[in-house]
Amino acid sequence: MTADLTKAELDPDAAHGAIEYCYAQGWSDGLPLVPATRPLMARFLATTRRSPDEVIGRLPQLDRSVTVELAAINAVMAGCLPEYFPVVLATWDALMLERSTTGGGWQSTSGPAPLIVVNGPARAELGINAAGGVFGPGFRPNATIPRAIGLMVRNAYGIHPHELEQATQGLPGRWSICLAENEEESPWPPLAAEAGLPPGTSAVSATLLRTCEFVDNRHTSSAEHLLADFADTIGRSGAWIFRHASAGIVFCPEHAQLLAGGGFDRAAVRAFLADRSGRSTAELAGVGKDYCDDNGVRGPGSRDTEAGPDSGGFQRMLPGSEPQNLLVAVAGARNAGISMVVRLFGGWSGTAIPVSGT
Amino acid sequence: MPNAILDPTGRADVAKASSPGLMLAPRRPDLSGLQVGLMDNTKHNAALLLAEIGKLLAAEQGATVTVEATKANFAAPAPAELVERYREACDVVITGVGDCGSCSASAVADGIGFEQAGLPAAVICSDAFVVTADAMAELRGAPGYHYLRTAHPVAVLTTDQVRQRAKQLLPEVVATLTEPGRRDG
């Protein structure tokens, strides 16, 4: 195995040939792949008690499935280390709880990106970045774990761009958003604890995103100012296509601490934002999204004669104030008031999956 | 001897089967007296477009619309019970609109499923999704499966424009559901 070779014994030309072979098979997402071999795959499989033959995902409409073994091969190819593999499996399981991943989500015109949040000791053990530059790049587990998921979708499900994958534009960060929660600088319990797991559990929470957009606010000491700024970004009409839309926030430590100092825990943050994020019916009418049809799809009220505004003067964007409607995590450096609003493709399952090894 | 490079698709052992192709359900020469099923997939304007086509078939071809149902999950092919409902109550089925990444593919899968159940089917897809619709046809062992293509976008059309589309599509709907060469019968 490569790891056992001395520098002089490494053969870059052979490596290059193997990488090009993988490109030629159509296996790559565009970047070079690590060619997978049986001994390397075995090291990945040795990190889990699960059977290599276990089917962990199935798309009946395509008659394709993912096994633990195929997950291992794709994780090898993504550049993961063997010890990342239990996190890859937990991520996949967490994503399988999202309705869209067992339906048409991976084929969607919206081209959604997994958001992967890791809690617990696995963060430090694997070196998953929780601090500066947490949305990447620069850290091997942060970059390769989501890439493994993307390769599983591409290779095991056979969903390729321009074919069964119909993303209109896709989004920056697809297959590259994996972050550890900055539990050490968060004023709140870990996200996985909010999802019901005992604190200190290594676990993965995951959902699908339509995009991320920053909120930069570093000159107020008022929690209410800050939350009003988030409410404005969350409520913007462009992200709103159905009756309601769910969102999330990855708070930087500074914002989270300011909010906690103002008396806001996660539930209070969600309650404030559920109430305040939205637009007036008049504003929504101005963009042709004031009315919901029978399928819950927004359009102009004028397009059907019987249509009218359905929620008085102000329409709330979030479907409610539950964790499923507004995922709240903390990550990043404590050096500025810059946080990220994330747009959920559907809702979040609200469930964290424990990382289980051998 | 170096280690072999592993295949990540799980299909290394699956030979590219030379598909015998799809046997279409038997067609009548015309639609007169036939019972028509409409299956909309919840995409905006789909139900309206199908209903308009149904009205035209009744008025101009002497057919009767007997089932107008909705496939609730546009991303997946129709469940067996739903296919059975059409099989029991209809002679032909029209479905659509394939107007998104997953629903175009699954609309084609539905058309193939109806044909296999013995029901001639006309599937309507937006022409922006031809590649994924064709990919599904190939996946289902029916490369080159014929479906109707209508200009993208469909979702933004007004009611009058949808009626116009229905008129435009009608001759091809009839041709698709009847035996070639006797479409005007």
Side-chain angles (χ1 to χ4, degrees):
Chain A
M1 267 169 277
T2 310
D4 303 327
L5 297 176
T6 66
K7 187 178 170 192
E9 290 169 318
L10 295 173
D11 185 345
D13 298 316
H16 182 252
I19 288 167
E20 288 300 327
Y21 172 85
C22 293
Y23 273 116
Q25 307 313 305
W27 297 337
S28 169
D29 52 13
L31 294 171
L33 297 165
V34 175
T37 60
R38 201 154 281 286
L40 192 46
M41 177 185 76
R43 288 172 61 198
F44 280 64
L45 292 174
T47 66
T48 178
R49 277 193 298 268
R50 298 170 77 168
S51 160
D53 297 331
E54 182 187 342
V55 174
I56 57 175
R58 235 188 98 62
L59 274 191
Q61 72 265 37
L62 306 182
D63 190 25
R64 296 290 286 260
S65 51
V66 187
T67 60
V68 169
E69 180 172 295
L70 283 177
I73 295 172
N74 282 286
V76 169
M77 290 175 28
C80 290
L81 289 172
E83 53 266 38
Y84 303 170
F85 190 50
V87 176
V88 172
L89 290 175
T91 300
W92 182 265
D93 289 348
L95 287 170
M96 288 298 288
L97 300 175
E98 302 284 297
R99 196 173 67 87
S100 58
T101 59
T102 54
W106 302 125
Q107 297 162 258
S108 170
T109 46
S110 49
L115 165 72
I116 303 164
V117 181
V118 183
N119 283 111
R123 298 169 308 140
E125 289 162 9
L126 303 178
I128 307 175
N129 183 27
V134 76
F135 278 86
F139 299 87
R140 185 168 179 173
N142 301 63
T144 58
I145 291 167
R147 189 184 185 209
I149 302 298
L151 291 177
M152 288 158 74
V153 170
R154 179 184 179 89
N155 293 319
Y157 279 167
I159 299 175
H160 293 200
H162 291 194
E163 295 172 20
L164 290 169
E165 195 262 73
Q166 286 288 305
T168 305
Q169 294 186 315
L171 59 104
R174 196 174 194 199
W175 316 129
S176 68
I177 307 173
C178 170
L179 46 93
E181 192 166 34
N182 189 340
E183 296 177 21
E184 290 69 23
E185 294 185 295
S186 168
W188 302 317
L191 179 62
E194 190 186 41
L197 296 179
T201 307
S202 290
V204 177
S205 309
T207 187
L208 293 181
L209 304 185
R210 298 254 350 223
T211 197
C212 307
E213 48 199 303
F214 73 94
V215 172
D216 188 327
N217 188 326
R218 26 186 150 176
H219 300 126
T220 181
S221 56
S222 154
E224 284 76 13
H225 279 163
L226 193 55
L227 286 174
D229 210 2
F230 281 99
D232 181 69
T233 293
I234 290 172
R236 84 173 164 84
S237 63
W240 213 348
I241 54 174
F242 301 115
R243 184 176 303 278
H244 295 290
S246 295
I249 303 174
V250 178
F251 283 112
C252 66
E254 181 177 320
H255 280 164
Q257 287 165 14
L258 192 156
L259 294 172
F264 285 87
D265 59 10
R266 273 193 168 93
V269 166
R270 287 195 308 266
F272 183 104
L273 292 171
D275 191 46
R276 295 279 292 273
S277 303
R279 290 291 183 263
S280 70
T281 296
E283 285 171 313
L284 289 169
V287 300
K289 291 186 174 179
D290 53 319
Y291 172 73
C292 268
D293 68 14
D294 293 342
N295 295 319
V297 179
R298 285 187 173 269
S302 55
R303 75 180 173 187
D304 296 296
T305 48
E306 75 275 17
D310 59 3
S311 181
F314 184 77
Q315 300 196 33
R316 294 183 174 86
M317 177 182 256
L318 299 174
S321 59
E322 299 302 308
Q324 290 86 335
N325 314 131
L326 186 67
L327 183 157
V328 174
V330 178
R334 50 175 294 278
N335 60 5
I338 304 172
S339 295
M340 200 71 93
V341 167
V342 298
R343 299 282 173 192
L344 273 50
F345 181 53
W348 172 44
S349 71
T351 304
I353 300 289
V355 175
S356 49
T358 48
Chain B
M1 184 70 183
N3 286 309
I5 296 175
L6 298 181
D7 184 297
T9 65
R11 310 289 272 193
D13 303 331
V14 183
K16 262 257 188 244
S18 58
S19 159
L22 176 70
M23 279 289 285
L24 291 179
R27 264 98 169 128
R28 306 270 188 89
D30 62 67
L31 298 176
S32 167
L34 296 195
Q35 300 186 312
V36 177
L38 306 176
M39 184 172 81
D40 90 79
N41 64 350
T42 74
K43 284 286 154 180
H44 190 65
N45 278 334
L48 179 62
L49 179 67
L50 295 178
E52 289 298 320
I53 291 173
K55 280 185 205 162
L56 293 171
L57 289 178
E60 299 180 14
Q61 304 287 323
T64 311
V65 174
T66 52
V67 179
E68 278 182 271
T70 299
K71 181 176 76 164
N73 181 4
F74 62 71
E81 315 83 80
L82 191 54
V83 175
E84 186 55 25
R85 195 175 148 201
Y86 285 97
R87 211 179 58 79
E88 279 172 3
C90 309
D91 301 304
V92 296
V93 180
I94 308 167
T95 188
V97 174
D99 195 23
C100 74
S102 57
C103 67
S104 312
S106 77
V108 162
D110 285 335
I112 293 167
F114 282 128
E115 297 287 349
Q116 287 165 339
L119 281 172
V123 176
I124 302 168
C125 283
S126 143
D127 66 6
F129 293 97
V130 165
V131 176
T132 196
D134 288 346
M136 177 56 92
E138 196 140 328
L139 215 59
R140 294 282 157 135
Y145 172 75
H146 172 76
Y147 54 91
L148 284 73
R149 302 168 185 194
T150 192
H152 193 82
V154 175
V156 300
L157 300 181
T158 63
T159 302
D160 280 345
Q161 288 170 324
V162 172
R163 289 202 178 104
Q164 208 48 45
R165 274 300 165 92
K167 280 200 190 104
Q168 288 165 5
L169 285 164
L170 190 70
E172 198 182 346
V173 169
V174 174
T176 302
L177 295 175
T178 53
E179 193 178 313
R182 301 178 67 180
R183 65 185 63 161
D184 300 318

